[in-house]
């Protein structure tokens, strides 16, 4: 065999090893990473991020929000977010004065465009809201808007997590 053939075989083996370890990844539901800031009223776990799978442009994970939890008014800068409702009832309010409202239930997707002022609400006073969250960057961006009074004033348990800080 020629040296060329051996080099070709080595190159093929290198590619196989690279794809085997750096190709498609399956993150099992019972292997999500709770090693993130936890706060009363919610439980957040990362599935796909830079630290776990070297994701460059997206973040995905789960969030469980206690009954009646609400965020303050905010937007996520240039990020796009997608929320998939697994269980429960989510209410979203958005607009300059939060004048628009929509609700989503199990199986529904919610899309939040860049820079849209909004408030996220668990619309069920008795049951947790369980969602899958995907956002367009690993870097969390939250811009709190303090000059808009929420239509549903945040009270009781806040929807607070590493990117949704407790309103002041």
């Amino acid at each position: 065999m020629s040296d060329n053939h051996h080099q070709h075989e080595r190159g093929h083996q290198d590619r196989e090893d690279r794809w085997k370890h750096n190709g498609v990844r399956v993150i099992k539901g019972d292997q999500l990473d709770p090693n993130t800031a936890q706060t009363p009223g919610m439980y957040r776990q990362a599935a796909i991020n830079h630290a776990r799978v070297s994701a460059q442009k997206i973040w995905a994970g789960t969030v469980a929000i206690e009954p009646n939890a609400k965020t303050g008014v905010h937007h996520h800068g240039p990020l796009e977010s997608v929320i998939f409702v697994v269980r429960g009832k989510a209410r979203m309010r958005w607009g300059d004065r939060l004048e628009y409202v929509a609700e989503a239930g199990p199986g529904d997707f919610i899309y939040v465009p860049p820079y849209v002022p909004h408030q996220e609400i668990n619309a069920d006073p008795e049951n947790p809201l369980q969602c899958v969250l995907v956002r367009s960057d690993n870097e969390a961006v939250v811009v709190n808007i303090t000059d808009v009074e929420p239509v549903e004033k945040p009270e009781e348990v806040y929807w607070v997590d590493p990117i949704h800080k407790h309103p002041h």
Side-chain angles (χ1 to χ4, degrees):
M1 286 196 205
S2 69
D3 280 346
N4 227 5
H5 181 75
H6 287 296
Q7 283 178 334
H8 177 74
E9 279 187 355
R10 269 197 311 275
H12 180 72
Q13 186 62 46
D14 289 346
R15 274 194 309 280
E16 278 186 11
D17 288 346
R18 184 178 78 237
W19 292 129
K20 180 177 180 178
H21 300 292
N22 296 313
V24 172
R25 301 280 301 275
V26 174
I27 309 300
K28 297 291 189 180
D30 61 358
Q31 296 174 340
L32 303 186
D33 186 3
N35 188 24
T36 184
Q38 300 295 338
T39 52
M42 65 121 0
Y43 181 58
R44 189 163 178 266
Q45 299 182 97
I48 307 299
N49 61 15
H50 185 73
R52 298 201 76 193
V53 299
S54 300
Q56 301 297 304
K57 298 178 181 178
I58 61 171
W59 183 99
T62 61
V63 61
I65 302 99
E66 292 300 315
N68 273 337
K70 302 170 181 69
T71 65
V73 183
H74 64 282
H75 68 73
H76 298 291
L79 300 188
E80 293 178 289
S81 299
V82 173
I83 301 166
F84 175 76
V85 180
V86 176
R87 185 175 295 120
K89 184 163 71 169
R91 180 178 301 129
M92 300 292 287
R93 291 191 173 276
W94 72 94
D96 290 329
R97 297 280 163 217
L98 300 182
E99 61 269 36
Y100 303 104
V101 63
E103 291 191 351
D108 294 341
F109 287 83
I110 300 165
Y111 170 66
V112 182
Y115 300 103
V116 171
H118 64 281
Q119 179 185 30
E120 299 148 4
I121 301 158
N122 179 346
D124 189 328
E126 297 179 8
N127 296 294
L129 171 62
Q130 295 182 331
C131 300
V132 172
L133 169 64
V134 179
R135 65 176 183 250
S136 61
D137 200 301
N138 266 276
E139 293 299 315
V141 176
V142 174
V143 178
N144 290 308
I145 301 170
T146 56
D147 62 348
V148 174
E149 271 303 306
V151 175
E152 295 187 42
K153 194 162 182 63
E155 57 189 358
E156 298 176 17
V157 180
Y158 285 88
W159 183 333
V160 178
D161 62 37
I163 70 166
H164 298 102
K165 303 303 181 198
H166 193 290
H168 295 10

